[in-house]
Amino acid sequence: MEMDSKRLQRRPSTRPPRWSFLIAVVFIGVLLSIMTETVTVGPRWAPLVIVGILMIPLTVAIFREHHSWTRRIAFTIITVLTIGLVISVLFLIYALFKHTETGTGLFRDAALLWIINIIVFAVWYWEIDQGGPLPRHIKQPGRPDFLFPQMASNVDAWADWIPTFSDYVFLAFNTSTAFSPTDTPVLSKRAKVLMVTQSSISLVVVAVLAARAISTA
Protein backbone atom coordinates (compact mmCIF):
# COMPACT_ATOMS: atom_id res chain seq x y z
CA MET A 1 0.00 0.00 0.00
CA GLU A 2 2.86 2.32 0.85
CA MET A 3 4.54 1.69 -2.49
CA ASP A 4 1.26 2.25 -4.37
CA SER A 5 0.68 5.59 -2.66
CA LYS A 6 4.22 6.68 -3.53
CA ARG A 7 3.65 5.76 -7.15
CA LEU A 8 0.44 7.75 -7.21
CA GLN A 9 2.23 10.74 -5.74
CA ARG A 10 4.96 10.49 -8.34
CA ARG A 11 2.51 10.11 -11.23
CA PRO A 12 3.05 13.15 -13.46
CA SER A 13 0.03 15.39 -13.92
CA THR A 14 -1.57 15.42 -17.34
CA ARG A 15 -2.88 18.92 -16.68
CA PRO A 16 -1.54 21.28 -19.37
CA PRO A 17 -0.47 24.73 -18.16
CA ARG A 18 -3.33 27.15 -18.82
CA TRP A 19 -2.02 30.24 -17.05
CA SER A 20 -1.46 31.98 -20.38
CA PHE A 21 -5.08 31.33 -21.35
CA LEU A 22 -6.43 32.58 -18.02
CA ILE A 23 -4.30 35.74 -18.05
CA ALA A 24 -5.19 36.46 -21.70
CA VAL A 25 -8.93 36.05 -21.06
CA VAL A 26 -8.86 38.34 -18.01
CA PHE A 27 -6.81 40.88 -19.98
CA ILE A 28 -9.40 40.85 -22.79
CA GLY A 29 -12.19 41.35 -20.26
CA VAL A 30 -10.34 44.30 -18.71
CA LEU A 31 -9.77 45.95 -22.11
CA LEU A 32 -13.43 45.52 -23.05
CA SER A 33 -14.47 47.04 -19.72
CA ILE A 34 -12.45 50.25 -20.24
CA MET A 35 -13.91 51.09 -23.64
CA THR A 36 -16.61 53.73 -23.94
CA GLU A 37 -20.21 52.53 -23.66
CA THR A 38 -20.97 53.64 -27.22
CA VAL A 39 -19.13 50.56 -28.53
CA THR A 40 -20.20 48.04 -25.91
CA VAL A 41 -23.37 46.05 -25.30
CA GLY A 42 -24.79 47.16 -21.97
CA PRO A 43 -22.58 48.46 -19.15
CA ARG A 44 -18.82 48.52 -19.67
CA TRP A 45 -18.22 46.16 -16.76
CA ALA A 46 -20.51 43.44 -18.18
CA PRO A 47 -17.81 41.59 -20.23
CA LEU A 48 -15.47 41.39 -17.23
CA VAL A 49 -18.26 40.08 -14.98
CA ILE A 50 -19.30 37.46 -17.58
CA VAL A 51 -15.70 36.33 -17.97
CA GLY A 52 -15.30 36.16 -14.19
CA ILE A 53 -18.41 33.98 -13.83
CA LEU A 54 -17.29 31.60 -16.59
CA MET A 55 -13.80 31.37 -15.09
CA ILE A 56 -15.18 29.68 -11.96
CA PRO A 57 -16.31 26.41 -13.63
CA LEU A 58 -13.26 26.56 -15.90
CA THR A 59 -10.88 26.71 -12.92
CA VAL A 60 -12.69 23.84 -11.21
CA ALA A 61 -12.51 21.73 -14.38
CA ILE A 62 -8.79 22.49 -14.78
CA PHE A 63 -7.85 21.48 -11.23
CA ARG A 64 -10.03 18.35 -11.35
CA GLU A 65 -8.42 17.50 -14.71
CA HIS A 66 -11.77 17.19 -16.49
CA HIS A 67 -10.18 17.87 -19.85
CA SER A 68 -13.32 17.58 -22.00
CA TRP A 69 -15.24 20.04 -19.81
CA THR A 70 -12.21 22.33 -19.63
CA ARG A 71 -12.16 22.54 -23.40
CA ARG A 72 -15.92 23.07 -23.71
CA ILE A 73 -15.88 25.92 -21.20
CA ALA A 74 -12.76 27.41 -22.78
CA PHE A 75 -14.45 27.44 -26.20
CA THR A 76 -17.56 29.00 -24.64
CA ILE A 77 -15.46 31.80 -23.12
CA ILE A 78 -13.61 32.46 -26.38
CA THR A 79 -16.86 32.46 -28.37
CA VAL A 80 -18.46 34.97 -25.98
CA LEU A 81 -15.41 37.24 -26.23
CA THR A 82 -15.34 36.94 -30.03
CA ILE A 83 -19.03 37.88 -30.28
CA GLY A 84 -18.38 40.84 -27.99
CA LEU A 85 -15.45 41.89 -30.18
CA VAL A 86 -17.48 41.71 -33.41
CA ILE A 87 -20.39 43.67 -31.89
CA SER A 88 -18.01 46.34 -30.61
CA VAL A 89 -16.45 46.69 -34.09
CA LEU A 90 -19.94 47.13 -35.58
CA PHE A 91 -20.71 49.81 -32.99
CA LEU A 92 -17.37 51.44 -33.82
CA ILE A 93 -18.42 51.72 -37.49
CA TYR A 94 -21.77 53.15 -36.41
CA ALA A 95 -20.00 55.69 -34.17
CA LEU A 96 -17.83 56.77 -37.10
CA PHE A 97 -20.74 57.53 -39.45
CA LYS A 98 -23.16 58.89 -36.84
CA HIS A 99 -20.50 60.91 -34.97
CA THR A 100 -21.70 59.55 -31.63
CA GLU A 101 -18.17 59.61 -30.23
CA THR A 102 -15.39 62.19 -30.08
CA GLY A 103 -12.31 61.80 -32.23
CA THR A 104 -10.10 60.96 -29.27
CA GLY A 105 -12.58 58.40 -27.95
CA LEU A 106 -12.91 56.77 -31.36
CA PHE A 107 -9.14 56.44 -31.76
CA ARG A 108 -8.84 55.01 -28.27
CA ASP A 109 -11.60 52.44 -28.76
CA ALA A 110 -10.24 51.43 -32.17
CA ALA A 111 -6.77 50.89 -30.71
CA LEU A 112 -8.19 48.79 -27.87
CA LEU A 113 -10.23 46.69 -30.30
CA TRP A 114 -7.15 46.13 -32.46
CA ILE A 115 -5.26 44.79 -29.43
CA ILE A 116 -8.24 42.70 -28.30
CA ASN A 117 -8.46 41.22 -31.79
CA ILE A 118 -4.89 39.96 -31.52
CA ILE A 119 -5.31 38.39 -28.09
CA VAL A 120 -8.71 36.81 -28.86
CA PHE A 121 -7.44 35.03 -31.95
CA ALA A 122 -4.15 34.07 -30.30
CA VAL A 123 -6.31 32.21 -27.77
CA TRP A 124 -8.31 30.61 -30.59
CA TYR A 125 -5.13 29.42 -32.35
CA TRP A 126 -3.66 28.12 -29.09
CA GLU A 127 -6.84 26.20 -28.30
CA ILE A 128 -7.39 24.51 -31.67
CA ASP A 129 -3.90 23.76 -32.98
CA GLN A 130 -2.97 20.07 -33.00
CA GLY A 131 -6.08 19.14 -31.05
CA GLY A 132 -5.51 21.62 -28.22
CA PRO A 133 -3.07 22.20 -25.35
CA LEU A 134 -3.54 18.73 -23.80
CA PRO A 135 -2.33 16.65 -26.78
CA ARG A 136 0.58 19.04 -27.24
CA HIS A 137 1.44 18.82 -23.51
CA ILE A 138 1.50 15.01 -23.38
CA LYS A 139 3.46 14.80 -26.64
CA GLN A 140 0.57 13.23 -28.58
CA PRO A 141 -0.41 16.09 -30.90
CA GLY A 142 -3.11 15.73 -33.51
CA ARG A 143 -2.99 17.01 -37.08
CA PRO A 144 -1.40 20.48 -37.06
CA ASP A 145 -3.45 23.53 -38.06
CA PHE A 146 -0.32 25.66 -38.53
CA LEU A 147 3.11 24.76 -39.86
CA PHE A 148 5.57 26.72 -37.75
CA PRO A 149 9.11 27.09 -39.18
CA GLN A 150 10.56 25.03 -36.31
CA MET A 151 8.32 22.09 -37.25
CA ALA A 152 9.76 22.00 -40.77
CA SER A 153 13.36 22.44 -39.62
CA ASN A 154 15.93 19.65 -40.01
CA VAL A 155 17.97 20.97 -37.10
CA ASP A 156 18.05 18.44 -34.24
CA ALA A 157 17.62 21.19 -31.62
CA TRP A 158 14.06 21.76 -32.89
CA ALA A 159 13.11 18.07 -33.05
CA ASP A 160 10.94 18.08 -29.89
CA TRP A 161 9.76 21.67 -30.22
CA ILE A 162 6.11 22.49 -29.49
CA PRO A 163 4.53 25.95 -29.87
CA THR A 164 3.78 27.98 -26.76
CA PHE A 165 1.22 30.73 -26.25
CA SER A 166 3.73 33.41 -27.28
CA ASP A 167 4.08 31.74 -30.69
CA TYR A 168 0.33 32.07 -31.25
CA VAL A 169 0.41 35.71 -30.10
CA PHE A 170 3.17 36.34 -32.66
CA LEU A 171 1.08 34.60 -35.35
CA ALA A 172 -2.00 36.65 -34.44
CA PHE A 173 0.01 39.89 -34.37
CA ASN A 174 1.36 39.21 -37.87
CA THR A 175 -2.15 38.45 -39.10
CA SER A 176 -3.47 41.76 -37.74
CA THR A 177 -0.61 43.81 -39.20
CA ALA A 178 -0.04 42.08 -42.55
CA PHE A 179 -3.64 40.75 -42.92
CA SER A 180 -2.11 37.33 -43.64
CA PRO A 181 0.32 34.83 -42.09
CA THR A 182 3.98 35.70 -42.65
CA ASP A 183 6.27 32.78 -41.83
CA THR A 184 3.66 30.22 -40.70
CA PRO A 185 1.52 28.48 -43.35
CA VAL A 186 -2.11 27.78 -42.43
CA LEU A 187 -3.08 24.16 -43.04
CA SER A 188 -6.62 23.44 -41.79
CA LYS A 189 -9.92 24.91 -42.98
CA ARG A 190 -10.95 25.99 -39.48
CA ALA A 191 -7.68 27.87 -39.01
CA LYS A 192 -8.19 29.58 -42.37
CA VAL A 193 -11.70 30.66 -41.38
CA LEU A 194 -10.38 32.09 -38.10
CA MET A 195 -7.53 33.86 -39.86
CA VAL A 196 -9.86 35.40 -42.47
CA THR A 197 -12.12 36.60 -39.66
CA GLN A 198 -9.21 38.14 -37.73
CA SER A 199 -7.80 39.83 -40.83
CA SER A 200 -11.23 41.24 -41.72
CA ILE A 201 -11.74 42.67 -38.22
CA SER A 202 -8.27 44.21 -38.25
CA LEU A 203 -8.86 45.70 -41.71
CA VAL A 204 -12.16 47.25 -40.62
CA VAL A 205 -10.59 48.79 -37.50
CA VAL A 206 -7.71 50.23 -39.52
CA ALA A 207 -10.18 51.55 -42.12
CA VAL A 208 -12.19 53.28 -39.38
CA LEU A 209 -9.03 54.92 -38.06
CA ALA A 210 -8.04 56.05 -41.55
CA ALA A 211 -11.52 57.41 -42.29
CA ARG A 212 -11.57 59.34 -39.03
CA ALA A 213 -8.11 60.74 -39.68
CA ILE A 214 -9.15 61.90 -43.16
CA SER A 215 -12.38 63.47 -41.90
CA THR A 216 -10.53 65.48 -39.24
CA ALA A 217 -7.69 66.54 -41.54
Side-chain angles (χ1 to χ4, degrees), residues 80-117:
V80 168
L81 292 174
T82 305
I83 292 171
L85 169 64
V86 172
I87 292 173
S88 292
V89 170
L90 293 176
F91 282 157
L92 185 75
I93 298 170
Y94 179 83
L96 171 68
F97 288 105
K98 295 297 182 179
H99 303 285
T100 59
E101 194 173 348
T102 64
T104 304
L106 194 71
F107 274 106
R108 178 174 170 274
D109 286 339
L112 288 172
L113 287 173
W114 192 80
I115 296 170
I116 291 169
N117 188 37

Side-chain angles (χ1 to χ4, degrees), residues 122-176:
V123 175
W124 270 114
Y125 302 150
W126 182 80
E127 194 65 51
I128 68 164
D129 189 31
Q130 300 180 40
L134 176 61
R136 295 196 302 268
H137 178 67
I138 62 175
K139 309 291 186 181
Q140 295 178 6
R143 189 168 59 179
D145 295 85
F146 306 99
L147 184 62
F148 288 93
Q150 294 90 335
M151 295 164 62
S153 174
N154 293 322
V155 179
D156 292 338
W158 299 110
D160 297 323
W161 181 87
I162 58 171
T164 61
F165 189 77
S166 60
D167 295 295
Y168 296 107
V169 172
F170 181 71
L171 174 62
F173 177 81
N174 288 340
T175 304
S176 280

Side-chain angles (χ1 to χ4, degrees), residues 7 68 118 124 166 177:
R7 284 175 186 172
S68 59
I118 293 173
W124 270 114
S166 60
T177 52

